[in-house]
């Protein structure tokens, strides 16, 4: 398989996508254009870029591209549960923990280790009293991005 990495610019910023052949293995939400990664050029890259672009125009657009990721048994359970949360809906860390076992902090840790955000929508998990964290941060650009993603999907948080 050929590993490729390319960038796509979407409304909230620049994403770097990593493919192994024709499966997504990673998305970096905090990519900088200065990385000088090529824009999508191969057929698979162009199709992934088109799928992501469609989502960033319409949050109801399906994100169905094949994924490949590895993690602990618990992380895999969390990531499967995240994929079951539909666009426009949220769950708290505690609700997700109650569904799959463990505690809210363990769910947060698994979200922090998520290799393919957007497709594994960890942004749809929030704190009981507000937005919670994103990418291991509780302020700054990651939280602005999480808020943007949730608003894009029609979720309005009051806290």
């Amino acid at each position: 398989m050929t590993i490729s990495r390319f960038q796509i610019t979407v409304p909230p910023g620049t994403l770097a996508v990593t493919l192994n052949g024709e499966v997504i293995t990673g998305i970096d939400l905090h990519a900088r254009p200065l990385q000088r990664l090529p824009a999508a050029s191969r057929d698979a890259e162009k199709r992934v870029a088109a799928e992501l672009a469609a989502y960033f125009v319409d949050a109801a657009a399906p994100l169905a591209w094949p994924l490949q990721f590895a993690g602990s048994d618990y992380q895999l359970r969390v990531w499967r549960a995240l994929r079951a949360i539909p666009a426009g809906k949220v769950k708290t860390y505690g609700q997700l923990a109650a569904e799959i076992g463990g505690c809210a902090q363990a769910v947060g840790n698994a979200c922090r280790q998520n290799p393919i955000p957007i497709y594994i929508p960890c942004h749809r998990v929030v704190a009981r009293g507000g937005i919670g964290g994103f990418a291991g941060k509780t302020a700054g650009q990651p939280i602005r991005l999480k808020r943007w993603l949730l608003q894009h999907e029609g979720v309005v948080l009051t806290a």
Side-chain angles (χ1 to χ4, degrees):
M1 295 264 172
T2 303
I3 296 179
S4 63
R5 195 159 188 240
F6 66 94
Q7 290 189 161
I8 177 175
T9 301
V10 293
T14 300
L15 307 178
V17 180
T18 303
L19 294 178
N20 185 352
E22 297 221 356
V23 297
I24 298 172
T25 59
I27 293 182
D28 179 358
L29 295 175
H30 311 292
R32 293 186 192 165
L34 297 175
Q35 289 177 306
R36 301 203 190 285
L37 295 175
S41 59
R42 295 180 346 172
D43 185 51
E45 293 171 353
K46 288 179 183 177
R47 291 181 311 183
V48 169
E51 184 172 88
L52 282 165
Y55 165 80
F56 281 100
V57 169
D58 178 1
L63 292 170
W65 200 265
L67 309 178
Q68 179 182 23
F69 49 88
S72 71
D73 288 343
Y74 189 77
Q75 288 171 329
L76 295 175
R77 281 200 334 253
V78 171
W79 299 340
R80 278 192 298 272
L82 292 173
R83 294 192 75 197
I85 304 171
K89 302 293 182 190
V90 296
K91 290 189 178 183
T92 67
Y93 297 99
Q95 287 171 326
L96 205 57
E99 289 175 16
I100 64 170
C103 66
Q105 184 179 14
V107 168
N109 287 336
C111 288
R112 184 179 306 118
Q113 299 301 317
N114 177 3
I116 311 174
I118 309 298
Y119 282 85
I120 302 173
C122 54
H123 62 278
R124 295 180 188 152
V125 181
V126 298
R128 183 178 53 223
I131 196 162
F134 193 55
K137 306 289 184 200
T138 57
Q141 179 58 22
I143 298 303
R144 286 190 294 276
L145 176 57
K146 182 175 183 175
R147 191 172 304 281
W148 188 95
L149 289 166
L150 290 172
Q151 288 173 345
H152 173 63
E153 293 182 356
V155 175
V156 179
L157 298 174
T158 57

